[in-house]
Each structure stands twice: as C-alpha cells, then as structure tokens.
Amino acid sequence: MIKEEVGNRLKESRKAAGFTQRQVAEKLNMLQPSYARYESGVLELDYEKLIFLCNLFNVSSDYLLGLSEY
C-alpha cells in the first residue's frame, strides 16, 4: 500500500512539474521502464533518488512518502 501511494504521488508530482517519465529517467541516468517501476510501486526509492526527485519536482519528502498533503 505504501509503495502504491508513493508511486501515485511520484506520478502526480512529475506531471505537475511538466516532465515525462523518459525525461525523469534520463535525469536519474536510467531507462524509462526502470523509472516506471517506481511509479507503479514495484520498486522502492532509495534516499538519494528520493532527495533528487523532491528537488526536481519541488515537493517535500513527507509529501512523496505520503506523510503530508503538501
């Protein structure tokens, strides 16, 4: 359940920031299918990717992890 929530928030944040999955994957130096696994909840983010994505999407880690609504 937690991975799904993180995935949903990743997807919402990515779209709000105007990025495609491919663009984000390139910034993370990975292929798009690999990044898609984070959004689908198959893979968990490590803290380095979490911090990078928070900065990229301009959101807090609490938001991405489902601990706050902002």
Side-chain angles (χ1 to χ4, degrees), residues 24-70:
V24 174
E26 287 174 358
K27 291 180 181 297
L28 290 168
N29 199 28
M30 63 175 51
L31 298 174
Q32 180 274 329
S34 296
Y35 175 76
R37 291 183 184 119
Y38 292 116
E39 287 191 6
S40 67
V42 173
L43 290 178
E44 291 183 9
L45 288 171
D46 61 44
Y47 70 92
E48 290 176 352
K49 287 181 182 67
L50 175 64
I51 292 167
F52 180 86
L53 292 172
C54 287
N55 288 323
L56 182 65
F57 300 150
N58 198 30
V59 296
S60 71
S61 58
D62 282 352
Y63 175 75
L64 281 185
L65 295 173
L67 301 173
S68 76
E69 293 300 314
Y70 307 103

